[in-house]
Amino acid sequence: MAAANAHSLSQYAKYHNKVGRSRATSEATWVRYTLIGVALLFLCLFLFIPLAAVFVEAFRKGAETYFASLTEADALSAMKLTLIAAAISVPLNLVFGVSAAWAISKFEFKGKSFLITLIDLPFAISPVIAGLIYVLIFGLQGWFGEWLSDHDFKIVFAVPGIVLATIFVTFPFIARELIPLMQAQGKDEEEAAMVLGASGWQMFWHVTLPNIKWGLLYGVILCNARAMGEFGAVSVVSGHIRGLTNTMPLHVEILYNEYNYAAAFAVASVLALLALVTLALKTYVEWQAARNAEETEREITE
Amino acid sequence: MAALLQLKVSIQSIMHIQTIIHQLKLTAVALAGAFVFSNSASAETSLLNVSYDVSREYYKDLNPAFIQYWKEKTGETITINQSHGGSSKQARSVVDGLSADVITMNRSPDIDVLYERAKLIPKDWQKRLPHASSPTASTSVFLVRKGNPKNIKDWDDLVKPKVAVVIPNPKTSGNGKYTYLAAWGYVLKNGGDEAKAKEFVTKLFKNVPVLDTGGRGATTTFAQRDIGDVLLTFENEVFLIQKELGADKFEVIYPSISVLAENPVALVDKVVDKRKTRTQAQAYLEFHFSEVGQDIAAKHYLRPQVDSAVTKHAATFKPLKLFKVEEVFGSWSKAEKTHFADGGVFDQIYAK
């Protein structure tokens, strides 16, 4: 086995050498370097400089101001609310996304394309409209406003509204990530499991889930990033009560409007850090997924 | 053998996923716990003050003073939560169910809307507190660059050629509406008629290079993007600009006449009755008119309205000839209809 393995690897290396270094498949040196230079310049201008600016501005008035503005009561409650919104919306969308992707890719039923369109809806409409929908439904002048107010339920301008809006805008991320993956994998393994007498649950738990785990994790990470960063929809339903219904992005806006630039950028830097951690996790997941796929490939060929 | 290997891999991955799920559950439970706990800790009486955009600094000082006053008077500890934003948007939120115990705005139409749209307050809310329920006021003044290079002294200088004037959009901002009405009133008060006023305001808006949607946006355009020769905005905003962005860069110019921009306050009856906070909300509003309340307003360059406080702070505020919107335009709703409604006078002059 080891010998076979080494053999296939060396063949791969030969193949790669031929294609990768061939004159026919690459441009002249100066073209390559110009293109690379333009790409780097663009990246630098549009991604790196703004990111660096956030941290430079955040520390402009010194580390003391930086940490003071992060440990201030309103900032802490904004962070807490952001985490709560993400902690509720991500698991819910995880369950929904997996179920929807499973149903769509492994079964045939009427209205399937309608379901796919529905899943894409939050991508298609502006987040502000998404927020307004909830105000129109649950607001005092809305469909259920009277009833909710009589029974002392608060949805919009309170935490439930923020969570609802977050769920709505992050709705498609996991399902959209899984559907193409699961469709590509096909139903063969599931059918085999079924023939061998597995129940639906066993089939999902032992066959489907292990196959999609990296794609799933990737979806969760994207979903989480959006849940923590969402501004538009949340802004509409928040009511902007300091210390109660402000999430981190909203808090950044408020501080900025108050001329409190150092504090605004300090909170923004935490959001940026969260994004960087997300990126790192995403890269790790992609790398793991690629390695996994390679491993499976090798096992199958043997 | 391959199948065996794969089985092993899948078992490992399932265990892996199970631990992740378990950890997620723990985090969620911990978070939910923290949330419930923090909510029960703040079960004491609280008031929500829904306010306009640039009143934050004022309420940051006024609220602690009231909390202390109320504690000394009754022994009760209360908290006051603040919500700030563009005034019409804030009013809309209250109509849509944001449970504001009190609403503090910079224009009475933004409180009238609570009666018109949702019957949350009675029609005559402005009669419930002294000075038409307006503890403070401001006015539209001019801010020019250091040394006043374009030599701007009064309204007439704004319509001269090659003077760029920054005004927030009167369609979307209360600040801009007041400035527009001040210019109109200036002509009428100097013996001009409606046609003359329209001509003057038309010329004025020809000199506006950018119409920002709000007061803060206009400030940024003028002070940070360096656009325009003169900024027309509230007096309190002008002082704040000088404090935050450098007193040596700008000069304040007081026109011969301007508009009185009253800042009305009201408690929201439907909300306070439901939350049983009427006593506290009423006391909070009355505190705006107390000596301490008026002093704090003056500190933030809002003109006090109670007579004794006006005399006390006469040195801070230049005496100005100010007219009320009602005096010149009949009422706010009339002014709104003729000038700012779709197809109104502003649309006509700005389209040309």
Side-chain angles (χ1 to χ4, degrees), chain A residues 80 84 87 135 139-141 149 152 154 157 159 205 210 213 239-242 244 254 257-259 261, chain B residues 13-14 17-18 31 35 38 48 56 60 81-83 93 95-96 98-99 118 216 219 224 237 274:
Chain A
K80 199 172 84 183
I84 288 170
V135 174
L140 196 55
Q141 313 302 315
S149 133
D152 264 330
K154 265 205 209 158
F157 310 121
V159 178
W205 199 243
K213 63 179 175 184
H240 302 275
I241 309 170
R242 303 193 132 207
L244 290 180
I254 284 186
N257 278 343
E258 284 178 359
Y259 300 114
Y261 300 133
Chain B
S13 63
I14 289 166
I17 289 176
Q18 276 171 332
L31 276 170
F35 182 56
S38 72
L48 173 59
R56 308 166 175 175
K60 250 183 203 160
N81 296 313
Q82 285 292 140
S83 167
S93 295
V95 168
D96 279 331
L98 178 58
S99 1
R216 274 288 149 94
T219 300
Q224 291 189 319
E237 178 77 356
K274 188 165 180 181

Side-chain angles (χ1 to χ4, degrees), chain B residues 88-193:
Chain B
S88 302
K89 185 183 123 206
Q90 292 290 84
R92 173 86 234 189
S93 295
V94 176
V95 168
D96 279 331
L98 178 58
S99 1
D101 298 277
V102 301
I103 180 163
T104 53
M105 288 282 136
N106 58 8
R107 243 161 35 91
S108 56
D110 286 329
I111 300 186
D112 285 335
V113 79
L114 301 194
Y115 162 74
E116 288 156 11
R117 296 265 177 179
K119 304 277 178 294
L120 295 173
I121 53 170
K123 189 169 193 279
D124 62 347
W125 62 271
Q126 251 185 320
K127 297 207 177 92
R128 297 193 293 189
L129 286 163
H131 301 278
S133 291
S134 303
T136 64
S138 194
T139 183
S140 290
V141 298
F142 308 167
L143 190 71
V144 295
R145 305 200 182 276
K146 185 78 201 166
N148 198 358
K150 294 273 164 109
N151 198 25
I152 288 156
K153 294 267 185 278
D154 202 359
W155 290 100
D156 287 325
D157 301 316
L158 300 180
V159 297
K160 286 185 180 154
K162 290 193 182 163
V163 173
V165 188
V166 176
I167 302 176
N169 190 345
K171 293 281 272 191
T172 56
S173 128
N175 194 329
K177 286 186 211 277
Y178 272 120
T179 301
Y180 173 101
L181 296 177
W184 195 281
Y186 162 75
V187 179
L188 292 189
K189 285 275 171 181
N190 280 299
D193 57 6

Side-chain angles (χ1 to χ4, degrees), chain A:
Chain A
M1 187 180 112
N5 223 344
H7 177 68
S8 73
L9 265 181
S10 74
Q11 266 203 330
Y12 172 74
K14 264 188 210 158
Y15 167 76
H16 188 263
N17 262 346
K18 254 191 195 164
V19 177
R21 301 275 160 84
S22 156
R23 280 250 150 236
T25 56
S26 68
E27 304 291 338
T29 322
W30 70 269
V31 177
R32 267 189 290 161
Y33 283 107
T34 324
L35 285 176
I36 291 172
V38 168
L40 279 181
L41 194 73
F42 181 83
L43 275 180
C44 199
L45 268 178
F46 286 87
L47 292 173
F48 182 72
I49 290 179
L51 188 65
V54 167
F55 287 93
V56 170
E57 284 292 327
F59 281 100
R60 177 148 288 181
K61 288 193 178 161
E64 211 165 289
T65 330
Y66 179 82
F67 289 110
S69 42
L70 289 187
T71 48
E72 187 233 357
D74 284 346
L76 285 178
S77 79
M79 289 180 207
K80 199 172 84 183
L81 183 57
T82 299
L83 290 177
I84 288 170
I88 299 174
S89 56
V90 174
L92 279 178
N93 278 334
L94 177 89
V95 173
F96 165 80
V98 172
S99 328
W102 202 43
I104 285 169
S105 56
K106 310 278 175 187
F107 301 95
E108 291 302 327
F109 54 91
K110 267 188 190 171
K112 190 161 134 173
S113 51
F114 180 65
L115 182 61
I116 299 178
T117 317
L118 266 188
I119 292 172
D120 280 339
L121 195 68
F123 274 158
I125 60 178
S126 149
V128 176
I129 306 297
L132 281 176
I133 292 169
Y134 287 108
V135 174
L136 285 177
I137 297 176
F138 300 114
L140 196 55
Q141 313 302 315
W143 296 352
F144 305 115
E146 202 89 335
W147 187 86
L148 287 170
S149 133
D150 289 346
H151 292 78
D152 264 330
F153 286 119
K154 265 205 209 158
I155 295 190
V156 284
F157 310 121
V159 178
I162 292 173
V163 172
L164 272 179
T166 311
I167 291 175
F168 184 85
V169 291
T170 55
F171 196 66
F173 280 90
I174 292 172
R176 263 287 148 210
E177 192 59 45
L178 290 182
I179 292 169
L181 176 71
M182 287 168 91
Q183 272 172 341
Q185 284 173 347
K187 325 178 205 178
D188 298 355
E189 290 184 32
E190 273 84 359
E191 277 165 0
M194 205 88 116
V195 168
L196 291 173
S199 68
W201 180 245
Q202 281 175 321
M203 176 172 91
F204 173 74
W205 199 243
H206 296 285
V207 180
T208 313
L209 196 57
N211 276 338
I212 60 167
K213 63 179 175 184
W214 292 113
L216 182 62
L217 216 52
Y218 185 68
V220 166
I221 287 167
L222 285 183
C223 179
N224 185 51
R226 180 66 191 268
M228 292 198 288
E230 176 55 27
F231 179 84
V234 169
S235 173
V236 176
V237 296
S238 137
H240 302 275
I241 309 170
R242 303 193 132 207
L244 290 180
T245 62
N246 261 340
T247 61
M248 279 168 79
L250 300 182
H251 191 59
V252 171
E253 189 212 17
I254 284 186
L255 291 170
Y256 186 80
N257 278 343
E258 284 178 359
Y259 300 114
N260 203 343
Y261 300 133
F265 280 105
V267 179
S269 77
V270 175
L271 273 174
L273 270 181
L274 285 173
L276 286 178
V277 169
T278 308
L279 265 182
L281 275 176
K282 197 191 91 167
T283 317
Y284 173 76
V285 167
E286 275 171 349
W287 174 72
Q288 273 290 347
R291 218 182 59 161
N292 239 35
E294 224 167 78
E295 226 164 71
T296 335
E297 192 96 334
R298 221 176 293 154
E299 275 159 23
I300 289 168
T301 46
E302 271 158 35

